[in-house]
Amino acid sequence: MQTLEQSLLNNVINIAKEAGEHLKQFYAGSVEIKMKADSTPVTEADLFISHFLTERLQQLTPDVPVLSEENCNIPLAERNHWQEYWIIDPIDGTQQFINRTDQFSIVIGLVQKRGGKNQPVLGVIYAPMLDKLYFAMEASGAFLQENGKIRSLVKTDSTDKAELTITVGSQVHAAKAQNIMAPEYQATFLEYGSGSLKAGLVAEGKADCYIRFGDTGEWDTAMAEVLLNEINGTIFDFNFSPLTYNERDNFINPYFVMVADKSVKWDKIFLFK
């Protein structure tokens, strides 16, 4: 099992930044786009970055398997034996990359088995075009490097706020969220790009929460788990239960909410039942 230490995190940050330089080169030109079986797009940049990250992580930790969104056909029977693994999304927000919004990221996380449960313990989210890098490690704090400066992300207090800022992927999701909120709460909706960057807005305190209606993969949330845990935030599904990792045949998450402050009575705000 990898020891969680600063040198490991620094190495992962450097790998993410190297991948970001490659991604900038793809972004400057035109890329080939194909549709996957689930009708989501994949570009040659996704595949190149996936291969690059996998290769670099295997050099860093030869005994730790790598699970990538673009290379995830590994049966649960095999994955069950993993005590730890890297989980990566080479481009979180491929559609944003294609649409040239700049709001996409490279995400790398480490998941370790603790007491029979798989727990994300280290995460890096790097948006090369925005020059934003979020990073966190279990019990070591959460940080944002932006424009060359690093600052610590701290717990934000959302307690008893009647007006919330909620980040979403689209106006359709905003309307759905409005419909399930208790009437005494008001929301301002902030539309933004990739899921991991919406998690970053929550961690920064620019949004109180991020609500997601629609399928995502475990690679879309693992790094956010680490980031939010370090600021007293959390992620829960529409039953207010935590997300799980590497426990099912597929990697599809239930719909979820990411929150900056887990002490808020979110079940009084979102009436999912």
Side-chain angles (χ1 to χ4, degrees):
M1 196 89 79
Q2 297 304 306
T3 304
L4 296 180
E5 52 192 10
Q6 192 63 42
S7 60
L8 179 67
L9 180 58
N10 289 344
N11 280 322
V12 176
I13 287 170
N14 289 335
I15 290 169
K17 286 182 174 178
E18 286 175 43
E21 291 306 306
H22 288 296
L23 196 51
K24 286 177 187 176
Q25 291 177 1
F26 280 107
Y27 202 53
S30 58
V31 293
E32 185 184 344
I33 304 166
K34 294 179 179 174
M35 297 306 287
K36 295 194 283 193
D38 63 358
S39 299
T40 59
V42 64
T43 71
E44 58 183 314
D46 293 85
L47 300 175
F48 177 91
I49 300 296
S50 179
H51 181 77
F52 174 82
L53 292 176
T54 301
E55 198 170 64
R56 294 288 279 107
L57 290 168
Q58 285 175 336
Q59 288 169 357
L60 178 66
T61 55
D63 299 328
V64 182
V66 180
L67 178 72
S68 169
E69 179 181 9
E70 308 309 338
N71 186 19
C72 59
N73 293 325
I74 305 164
L76 183 59
E78 181 182 336
R79 292 187 275 113
N80 264 335
H81 298 292
W82 292 355
Q83 294 304 302
E84 62 181 336
Y85 63 98
W86 295 106
I87 183 167
I88 62 176
D89 191 346
I91 307 179
D92 180 32
T94 297
Q95 194 63 57
Q96 305 288 335
F97 177 83
I98 293 166
N99 293 349
R100 312 192 77 73
T101 69
D102 294 352
Q103 295 174 4
F104 54 86
S105 48
I106 294 163
V107 286
I108 307 172
L110 180 66
V111 180
Q112 294 184 337
K113 192 164 275 188
R114 304 282 179 81
K117 282 280 183 191
N118 294 300
Q119 177 70 41
V121 294
L122 180 152
V124 172
I125 298 167
Y126 179 44
M129 304 315 296
L130 302 176
D131 192 23
K132 291 184 86 167
L133 175 88
Y134 301 93
F135 58 96
M137 189 166 62
E138 185 181 67
S140 301
F143 300 86
L144 169 62
Q145 182 176 5
E146 188 174 20
N147 303 322
K149 294 181 180 174
I150 296 175
R151 65 182 175 93
S152 179
L153 300 177
V154 294
K155 180 191 171 200
T156 53
D157 187 7
S158 307
T159 313
D160 298 330
K161 280 168 65 171
E163 294 189 19
L164 299 170
T165 301
I166 302 175
T167 185
V168 290
S170 69
Q171 282 302 311
V172 172
H173 287 191
K176 286 183 176 179
Q178 191 75 68
N179 285 339
I180 56 169
M181 288 181 71
E184 61 268 31
Y185 291 92
Q186 300 299 313
T188 300
F189 291 99
L190 178 58
E191 260 187 85
Y192 209 72
S194 80
S196 59
L197 293 181
K198 287 194 277 286
L201 295 181
V202 175
E204 280 186 71
K206 290 181 177 176
D208 296 296
C209 65
Y210 157 38
I211 187 164
R212 172 72 190 201
F213 303 86
D215 287 349
T216 57
E218 292 178 14
W219 38 77
D220 293 311
T221 54
M223 301 65 168
E225 293 263 8
V226 191
L227 200 64
L228 295 173
N229 283 344
E230 290 301 303
I231 61 154
N232 199 45
T234 193
I235 309 177
F236 51 78
D237 66 16
F238 286 9
N239 292 314
F240 301 98
S241 298
L243 302 186
T244 61
Y245 294 88
N246 199 29
E247 289 187 6
R248 303 181 303 273
D249 287 321
N250 66 52
F251 299 99
I252 300 171
N253 287 320
Y255 298 175
F256 60 75
V257 185
M258 295 185 184
V259 302
D261 184 354
K262 66 183 179 189
S263 67
V264 171
K265 292 182 169 58
W266 292 99
D267 57 347
K268 302 285 188 288
I269 298 172
F270 294 116
L271 309 178
F272 294 121
K273 300 297 182 193

